[in-house]
Amino acid sequence: MKRVAHVSDLHFGRTDHALRHALIEAVNAAKPDLVAVTGDFTQRARRRQYSAARAFLERIEAPWMAVPGNHDISLDNLWQRFFRPWRRYREFICDDLCPVHVQDGLVVVGLNTVNRFRWQSGRVRWLQMRTVSRVFSEHEGIKVVLAHHPFEQDADIKKTLMRDAERAMERLSDCGADLVLSGHLHRWRTEPFLSAKHGAQVLQVHVGTGLSTRLRGQDNDFALLDLDADTADVTRMVARQGRFVPEGTRHFRVRDGGWVEATGGPVGAPEG
């Protein structure tokens, strides 16, 4: 069994300062094998915001890996955005925009879905998809993909879904992905993908924002995932009175090649 803490959309520069220590404390107390951060470390890609994000990462006791979000490239400095978009991310966070983490029973690949030419919308980089396919073919274990932008979203979301997102999901399914972790919407969603051509073969875990004050109707949260070859227990950790506490766990199992929820209650209902 492997434990992954999934954190996203920290948005240093527009954070709830009271929650910074609480989030670090909760992540470290969970003793994950890996902390996965799916982008938007900063609000406006300023150096001081990146510096605060780096200080946060240095307090994480477990190994961590990350991918950038659209807020991690400059919005208002167009020269920097178009010609050197990843300079500060590479300097402060990670030089690798398609990171790979392999340990016994766990294989994780990060995708850079940020599109410098359309700041809000994401893009699929097919060269990176080839990396996913190669890495997953070379290693055994539960296979996880990190991306800032979701590959599927609810119908009421007004943001534009990535172009070719459904085709990319089919490609991820074909190469053996078990889970996709994402952020961007500041909204929680944990369901098998509906668009995968092989049915619910890939499970999505879409967390909200860990620290931002832009909550969009939901609480600050992150996820704890307990994973093995054919099970995934997903616990939502929610900010309550200055600390992060569990608010229900959903249990998923692989049955006939697809993920199904193993609880007796209705889909989406948290356990007590």
Side-chain angles (χ1 to χ4, degrees):
M1 182 77 72
K2 295 295 182 181
R3 170 166 283 189
V4 176
H6 175 205
V7 180
S8 195
D9 295 80
L10 298 172
H11 286 283
F12 280 95
R14 190 170 176 173
T15 61
D16 185 336
H17 294 277
L19 289 181
R20 291 190 187 186
H21 177 71
L23 181 55
I24 284 289
E25 187 177 59
V27 168
N28 287 340
K31 300 187 181 304
D33 297 287
L34 178 70
V35 178
V37 190
T38 51
D40 278 1
F41 284 90
T42 70
Q43 181 64 18
R44 284 291 179 264
R46 306 281 196 260
R47 294 188 66 85
R48 64 182 179 275
Q49 295 171 5
Y50 266 120
S51 180
R54 184 68 202 187
F56 176 90
L57 291 173
E58 289 177 352
R59 295 179 62 193
I60 294 176
E61 296 170 357
W64 58 266
M65 65 182 295
V67 292
N70 57 295
H71 279 261
D72 296 326
I73 63 174
S74 182
L75 174 64
D76 46 10
N77 184 330
L78 296 183
W79 187 91
Q80 184 184 92
R81 174 179 159 191
F82 291 127
F83 295 104
R84 305 190 76 173
W86 320 116
R87 179 182 180 183
R88 290 178 181 173
Y89 179 87
R90 290 180 184 273
E91 178 183 352
F92 285 94
I93 307 299
C94 182
D95 189 52
D96 193 348
L97 298 178
C98 187
V100 175
H101 176 90
V102 178
Q103 58 178 269
D104 185 34
L106 180 66
V107 186
V108 188
V109 181
L111 297 178
N112 174 20
T113 59
V114 178
N115 184 354
R116 78 184 84 175
F117 302 106
R118 300 183 64 187
W119 185 76
Q120 188 65 251
S121 301
R123 60 175 290 199
V124 177
R125 289 173 170 82
W126 295 102
L127 185 60
Q128 291 190 355
M129 296 290 283
R130 289 174 57 187
T131 299
V132 174
S133 181
R134 176 184 56 79
V135 171
F136 283 176
S137 70
E138 293 174 348
H139 301 279
E140 295 297 325
I142 190 162
K143 297 175 171 64
V144 182
V145 173
L146 310 185
H148 179 65
H149 295 82
F151 290 82
E152 183 178 271
Q153 61 193 34
D154 294 320
D156 64 331
I157 298 295
K158 294 182 172 57
K159 290 186 177 181
T160 303
L161 188 65
M162 286 192 295
R163 188 175 64 180
D164 291 333
E166 185 170 343
R167 185 160 66 99
M169 270 310 308
E170 292 180 358
R171 176 77 175 272
L172 291 175
S173 180
D174 285 340
C175 67
D178 296 301
L179 291 93
V180 172
L181 313 186
S182 57
H184 186 54
L185 302 178
H186 295 202
R187 182 168 178 165
W188 176 272
R189 187 188 194 206
T190 302
E191 303 288 347
F193 277 93
L194 300 177
S195 59
K197 69 178 180 181
H198 298 304
Q201 186 172 327
V202 186
L203 181 67
Q204 61 181 313
V205 179
H206 187 90
V207 298
T209 169
L211 293 175
S212 177
T213 56
R214 297 178 66 193
L215 295 177
R216 298 175 185 163
Q218 295 197 6
D219 297 303
N220 294 99
D221 66 19
F222 73 98
L224 290 177
L225 298 87
D226 292 300
L227 309 170
D228 66 19
D230 58 1
T231 69
D233 297 339
V234 184
T235 300
R236 187 185 185 198
M237 301 292 292
V238 179
R240 292 280 185 268
Q241 298 180 338
R243 49 194 294 263
F244 285 85
V245 298
E247 192 179 77
T249 300
R250 296 182 65 184
H251 308 279
F252 295 91
R253 302 292 182 265
V254 175
R255 297 287 186 270
D256 298 324
W259 290 98
V260 296
E261 190 163 17
T263 62
V267 172
E271 292 186 328

